[in-house]
């Protein structure tokens, strides 16, 4: 598939989306936003795509908004950043979080500003040992967006969330793993292979059920215990009517390897 600012392919059940503006550390301009949006739609709609893997080309994962697009010249009219968020970032974060597929993010290098929070909207985050996370917003008078103010305190607790957001210091991948911000650190040289291995494994699994799992865990952060029990009942009902459940049980009884189709 031909895009200018991203690379996108679907192979072995894995939709691979790689941000590709390496000279600008894969920071987002409007054109890259629209390409990412289109690729996410393709991943969502294509029956061949069972897992989404998001990563970046070059030495950075993503440096957030391309600031040369949002530079405020003296005397110029002040920009409406709320509009950028409404038009670009919030739809991106919702699309990742609501994707009915497991979403893996392989953070290949520095992740700053919105680029540090986009991985947190994914389901499994791997990071190269040399990668880092920077809530850079405070350095330019902004607040963490792309869901950061919601996700950070839930993942690392309020004390660490405030330190990250108010100081904007660089958090190493290893510290991010220790704090529970991400799932796993891997050696730089093996990041892409490890992420693809994980993605290809998940693509052979009952991905319809996996999508229901992520939905239920995401919802649990806002639900009471009773609401969550009711959601589990409803989603288990859906899971139990899937072909994959039938196949999983038959394969178990017949002592053979199941062949899941993701429906
Ligand atoms: C960049 C950028 C960049 C353009 C590196 N833009 N060129 C939402 C709604 C609307 C508007 C506002 O924002 C938002 C959300 C946000 O994301 S706000 C936060 C925006 N991001 C930042 O503030 C991070 C800015 N970047 C940095 O602090 C550094 O570049 C980091 C710490 C990421 C990496 O530092 P270094 O490894 O030392 O690399 P570098 O600074 O030398 O950058 C390499 C090149 O990439 C350089 O260009 P050049 O032509 O000099 O080689 C940078 O200008 C360019 N670049 N980030 N966001």
């Amino acid at each position: 598939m031909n895009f200018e600012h991203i690379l996108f392919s679907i192979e072995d059940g894995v939709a691979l989306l790689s941000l590709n503006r390496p000279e600008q550390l894969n920071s987002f301009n409007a054109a890259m936003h629209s390409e990412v949006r289109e690729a996410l739609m393709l991943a969502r709609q294509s029956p061949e795509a069972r897992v989404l893997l998001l990563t970046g080309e070059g030495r950075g994962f993503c440096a957030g908004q391309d600031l040369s697009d949002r530079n405020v010249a003296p005397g110029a009219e002040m920009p409406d950043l709320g509009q950028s968020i409404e038009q670009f970032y919030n739809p991106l974060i919702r699309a990742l979080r609501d994707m009915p597929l497991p979403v893996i993010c392989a953070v290949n290098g520095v992740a700053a500003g919105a680029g540090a929070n986009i991985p947190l909207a994914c389901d499994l985050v791997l990071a190269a040992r040399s990668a880092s996370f920077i809530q850079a917003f405070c350095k330019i008078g902004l607040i963490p967006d792309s869901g950061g103010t919601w996700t950070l305190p839930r993942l690392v607790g309020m004390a660490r969330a405030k330190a990250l957001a108010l100081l904007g210091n660089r958090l190493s991948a290893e510290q991010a793993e220790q704090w529970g911000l991400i799932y796993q650190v891997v050696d730089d040289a093996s990041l892409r292979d490890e992420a693809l291995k994980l993605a290809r494994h998940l693509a052979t699994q009952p991905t319809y059920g996996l999508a229901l799992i992520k939905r239920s865990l995401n919802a649990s952060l806002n639900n009471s215990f009773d609401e969550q029990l009711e959601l589990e009942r409803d989603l288990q009902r859906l899971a139990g009517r899937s072909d994959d459940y039938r196949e999983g049980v038959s394969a178990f009884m017949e002592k053979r390897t199941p062949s899941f189709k993701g429906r």
Side-chain angles (χ1 to χ4, degrees):
M1 273 153 263
N2 278 339
F3 291 103
E4 195 184 339
H5 304 298
I6 62 169
L7 302 176
F8 184 70
S9 60
I10 301 178
E11 225 173 281
D12 299 334
V14 179
L16 174 61
L17 194 176
S18 193
L19 306 176
N20 191 24
R21 301 181 72 231
E23 268 86 63
Q24 293 80 25
L25 297 182
N26 300 322
S27 55
F28 272 88
N29 59 11
M32 189 164 93
H33 268 296
S34 355
E35 292 189 357
V36 169
R37 185 181 298 202
E38 191 184 334
L40 293 182
M41 196 82 82
L42 288 169
R44 194 184 170 108
Q45 290 171 353
S46 162
E48 292 94 66
R50 306 267 303 275
V51 172
L52 171 70
L53 171 56
L54 173 66
T55 189
E57 297 299 309
R59 73 174 179 90
F61 169 67
C62 175
Q65 170 65 38
D66 184 327
L67 293 172
S68 64
D69 253 21
R70 288 289 177 277
N71 195 1
V72 192
E77 198 181 325
M78 297 309 277
D80 180 357
L81 298 191
Q83 209 260 333
S84 294
I85 302 254
E86 184 71 27
Q87 187 179 351
F88 295 121
Y89 290 91
N90 285 354
L92 167 63
I93 296 303
R94 289 193 177 106
L96 289 169
R97 203 173 134 87
D98 299 342
M99 180 74 59
L101 306 171
V103 180
I104 299 171
C105 185
V107 181
N108 51 297
V110 65
N117 290 333
I118 289 166
L120 310 183
C122 301
D123 302 311
L124 292 170
V125 185
L126 305 184
R129 202 167 297 281
S130 70
S132 54
F133 296 81
I134 309 176
Q135 295 292 324
F137 310 87
C138 58
K139 311 247 182 194
I140 53 171
L142 298 182
I143 70 157
D145 58 27
S146 302
T149 59
W150 190 89
T151 315
L152 285 170
R154 285 170 169 78
L155 289 177
V156 301
M158 192 57 89
R160 285 169 170 167
K162 283 190 177 160
L164 290 171
L166 293 171
L167 300 174
N169 289 338
R170 192 184 284 263
L171 185 73
S172 69
E174 283 176 355
Q175 189 82 77
E177 183 195 279
Q178 280 161 22
W179 282 9
L181 189 74
I182 62 168
Y183 168 50
Q184 203 171 47
V185 174
V186 301
D187 288 336
D188 288 27
S190 50
L191 177 71
R192 186 67 75 98
D193 284 350
E194 289 290 326
L196 276 169
K197 196 163 99 188
L198 188 60
R200 288 187 187 124
H201 160 70
L202 285 175
T204 66
Q205 297 303 296
T207 44
Y208 174 74
L210 300 187
L212 295 176
I213 292 174
K214 75 179 258 189
R215 198 168 130 192
S216 60
L217 288 172
N218 283 342
S220 77
L221 297 170
N222 288 340
N223 274 349
S224 68
F225 185 64
D226 278 324
E227 286 166 337
Q228 194 64 15
L229 287 180
E230 285 168 19
L231 182 68
E232 287 179 3
R233 174 201 60 208
D234 294 344
L235 297 188
Q236 199 71 298
R237 185 171 281 144
L238 294 178
R241 290 178 181 146
S242 68
D243 291 347
D244 281 348
Y245 170 61
R246 189 181 297 230
E247 167 63 5
V249 176
S250 305
F252 176 78
M253 300 308 287
E254 293 160 20
K255 299 192 187 307
R256 62 175 171 80
T257 307
S259 169
F260 293 118
K261 300 282 182 282
R263 40 178 202 265

